[in-house]
Amino acid sequence: MPSVTVENYLKRILLLSAGNGGLVSMGALAEALAVVPGTVTTMVKALAADGLVVHAPRRGVRLTAAGRRLALGVLRRHRLVETFLVNVLKMDWGAVNAEAEQLEHAISDAVLDRLDALLGHPSVDPHGDPIPGRQGQLPSQVYATLATCGLARALRVVRVTDQSMEFLQFAEKHGLRPGAAVRVTDRHLASGLVTLRRPGGRPLTLSLVAAGRILVEPER
Amino acid sequence: MPSVTVENYLKRILLLSAGNGGLVSMGALAEALAVVPGTVTTMVKALAADGLVVHAPRRGVRLTAAGRRLALGVLRRHRLVETFLVNVLKMDWGAVNAEAEQLEHAISDAVLDRLDALLGHPSVDPHGDPIPGRQGQLPSQVYATLATCGLARALRVVRVTDQSMEFLQFAEKHGLRPGAAVRVTDRHLASGLVTLRRPGGRPLTLSLVAAGRILVEPER
DNA sequence: GAATACATTTTGACTAGTCAAAACAAACGG
DNA sequence: CCGTTTGTTTTGACTAGTCAAAATGTATTC
Ligand SMILES: [Mn+2]
Ligand SMILES: [Mn+2]
Ligand SMILES: [Mn+2]
Ligand SMILES: [Mn+2]
């Protein structure tokens, strides 16, 4: 019963509220939703009137419990759909975000439950993004990134936090998907470069910014 | 790029234009779309301005080639989605129409092609409704119905042309799905009753109207 | 502590889609 | 034929969502 627009706003607020204390600025929201800031102000006031968000004027917006519940539902649909598209339909993991952006609004609970069962109740999507549970549980473990981890340690990629097709295709090409073994051989702050090595692969150099988008955990 | 509303209008016009010479009345369209007739008149004028339909005022509306092309695309998505929901997700064939009504607007060509391949390029959906081809080919074979076929002949159900959950569950319960063997043992026009027999099943009586919703062909 | 810069909010306008109710045209029935 | 019924169109109003541009508030800088 919430509109596609409302679902997109709520999901986006949820995703952006990770960084700050849950407060999302109008500007960041406008940018992410590709609308003009004035539009966001207007919509956020409407969402606040519906009890889905709290609007602190000139400071930002945060989800209420009800808003968060809805947002997690959308996110669950999004990530289960992505998992389906990759695992069952064998689509490219760089393409599925755009597809799921539409499908997340068209999947009923009945279909979602069947999909979830078909996929074996996965806990993460193809990018390693955690899939919220049916009751909205969202495990939020903190991981190191290739920009912050220790040097020379045996690591495993757990998540790639960049939805852009270019980055994902680049990562895929170099075997940097969740589960892949990797170790950082060198990190040079002045030049902003990180060098990695994958077992049986050529050394790979990328920027600190890019490295920061790849989350890792110590091997076993 | 056509909106959900436009897609629904075009698909509905296509489905309703079967009966007449392609001309659909405003009233029938309004009824089917669950909007008021004035709304349909307004929308149809907008569709005509976009070259998707031809509006003959006070006579009706018909699809242009462009409109028909779009409508067939929506119908293809609808019926492939229904097939997926029944064949892969094992959903009830009475429930899938409502689900597909939403999903038909959210499926991209890329996803549709994969789905089509996964399903083995089916030519009909779970109700026996023909699935338009990628280039919009729509086989329109004419079938007899249980209300019009010959008596005592060995028949096979090919299609059930009623989307309502009640009818479909009723049909399912009595084994009347596409492929099922059946023969009409008696037809009584005065009372409007048709009696059938399925091999290994009890005799079943239904109204002429209901019988007319079940299309059949001669056994082999 | 002003002056300036930047983000946010407000205002006014626009589009898509809808309804209620009045006006209208065509068909029908006596 | 002429009045009545029926379906269609028109009119006016409303909601959701959006943008452009002006107004406003808060931070930053000197
Ligand atoms: Mn979306
Ligand atoms: Mn993802
Ligand atoms: Mn639909
Ligand atoms: Mn069907």
Side-chain angles (χ1 to χ4, degrees):
Chain A
M1 138 183 36
S3 68
V4 167
T5 303
V6 167
E7 290 193 337
N8 281 331
Y9 272 74
L10 294 177
K11 190 191 68 173
R12 197 51 61 182
I13 293 169
L14 176 67
L15 291 176
L16 291 175
S17 63
N20 212 355
L23 259 194
V24 178
S25 75
M26 299 296 114
L29 198 45
E31 165 82 16
L33 290 167
V35 295
V36 112
T39 300
V40 169
T41 300
T42 307
M43 271 300 295
V44 160
K45 286 203 292 189
L47 294 175
D50 286 353
L52 298 174
V53 303
V54 175
H55 182 204
R58 307 221 170 239
R59 309 217 27 260
V61 61
R62 94 174 56 241
L63 293 173
T64 63
R68 183 178 161 82
R69 205 177 45 74
L70 283 178
L72 284 166
V74 182
L75 194 60
R76 174 171 162 80
R77 295 199 290 278
H78 184 102
R79 291 180 175 170
L80 276 173
V81 166
E82 282 189 345
T83 306
F84 167 76
L85 294 176
V86 169
N87 291 6
V88 178
L89 294 192
K90 308 299 180 193
M91 292 187 72
D92 191 287
W93 79 336
V96 296
N97 184 58
E99 302 284 355
E101 199 57 54
Q102 305 305 314
L103 287 162
E104 66 190 2
H105 312 292
I107 302 268
S108 75
D109 283 351
V111 171
L112 194 71
D113 283 350
R114 307 263 177 166
L115 220 43
D116 188 34
L118 175 72
L119 299 169
H121 307 286
S123 61
V124 296
D125 79 5
H127 313 105
D129 302 318
I131 298 174
R134 283 220 302 176
Q135 275 73 42
Q137 321 86 296
L138 185 58
S140 68
Q141 193 169 344
V142 178
Y143 289 108
T145 76
L146 288 182
T148 64
C149 63
L151 291 185
R153 299 281 190 63
L155 304 170
R156 204 160 276 284
V157 175
V158 297
R159 185 173 177 188
V160 180
T161 64
D162 187 318
Q163 315 297 323
S164 76
M165 170 140 9
E166 308 79 56
F167 187 87
L168 288 169
Q169 284 181 348
F170 169 82
E172 167 107 280
K173 186 163 109 192
H174 295 95
L176 292 174
R177 43 181 139 31
V182 66
R183 81 181 63 212
V184 174
T185 55
D186 192 47
R187 188 180 293 126
H188 196 240
L189 294 183
S191 62
L193 293 183
V194 179
T195 305
L196 349 154
R197 185 169 299 240
R198 299 213 336 102
R202 272 191 258 21
L204 174 65
T205 301
L206 34 76
S207 76
L208 271 170
V209 176
R213 305 249 175 278
I214 298 180
L215 308 193
V216 294
E217 66 183 358
E219 171 79 88
R220 205 140 338 261
Chain B
M1 148 176 23
S3 69
V4 168
T5 303
V6 166
E7 289 192 339
N8 281 332
Y9 272 74
L10 294 177
K11 188 189 71 172
R12 197 52 60 182
I13 294 169
L14 177 67
L15 292 175
L16 291 175
S17 63
N20 211 355
L23 258 193
V24 178
S25 76
M26 300 296 114
L29 198 45
E31 165 83 17
L33 291 167
V35 295
V36 112
T39 300
V40 170
T41 300
T42 307
M43 271 300 295
V44 160
K45 286 203 291 188
L47 294 175
D50 286 353
L52 299 173
V53 303
V54 175
H55 182 205
R58 305 219 173 243
R59 310 224 19 263
V61 62
R62 96 174 55 242
L63 294 173
T64 63
R68 183 179 161 84
R69 206 179 45 76
L70 283 177
L72 284 166
V74 181
L75 193 60
R76 174 170 163 81
R77 296 198 290 277
H78 184 101
R79 291 180 175 170
L80 276 173
V81 165
E82 281 190 345
T83 306
F84 167 76
L85 293 176
V86 169
N87 291 7
V88 177
L89 295 191
K90 310 298 180 194
M91 293 186 70
D92 191 286
W93 80 337
V96 296
N97 184 57
E99 302 284 356
E101 199 57 54
Q102 306 305 314
L103 287 163
E104 66 189 1
H105 311 291
I107 302 268
S108 73
D109 283 351
V111 172
L112 194 70
D113 284 349
R114 307 261 177 168
L115 219 45
D116 187 33
L118 174 72
L119 298 169
H121 307 286
S123 62
V124 297
D125 79 5
H127 313 106
D129 301 319
I131 298 174
R134 285 220 300 176
Q135 276 72 44
Q137 322 84 298
L138 186 58
S140 68
Q141 193 169 344
V142 178
Y143 289 108
T145 75
L146 289 181
T148 63
C149 63
L151 290 185
R153 298 281 190 64
L155 305 169
R156 203 160 279 281
V157 174
V158 297
R159 185 172 177 187
V160 180
T161 64
D162 187 316
Q163 315 298 322
S164 75
M165 171 139 11
E166 309 78 56
F167 187 87
L168 288 169
Q169 284 180 348
F170 168 81
E172 168 107 277
K173 186 163 110 193
H174 296 95
L176 292 174
R177 43 181 139 33
V182 66
R183 81 180 65 212
V184 175
T185 55
D186 193 46
R187 188 179 293 127
H188 196 240
L189 295 181
S191 62
L193 293 182
V194 178
T195 304
L196 349 155
R197 185 166 300 238
R198 298 213 336 100
R202 271 191 259 21
L204 174 66
T205 301
L206 33 75
S207 76
L208 271 171
V209 176
R213 304 249 174 278
I214 299 180
L215 307 194
V216 293
E217 65 182 359
E219 173 78 88
R220 202 137 341 259

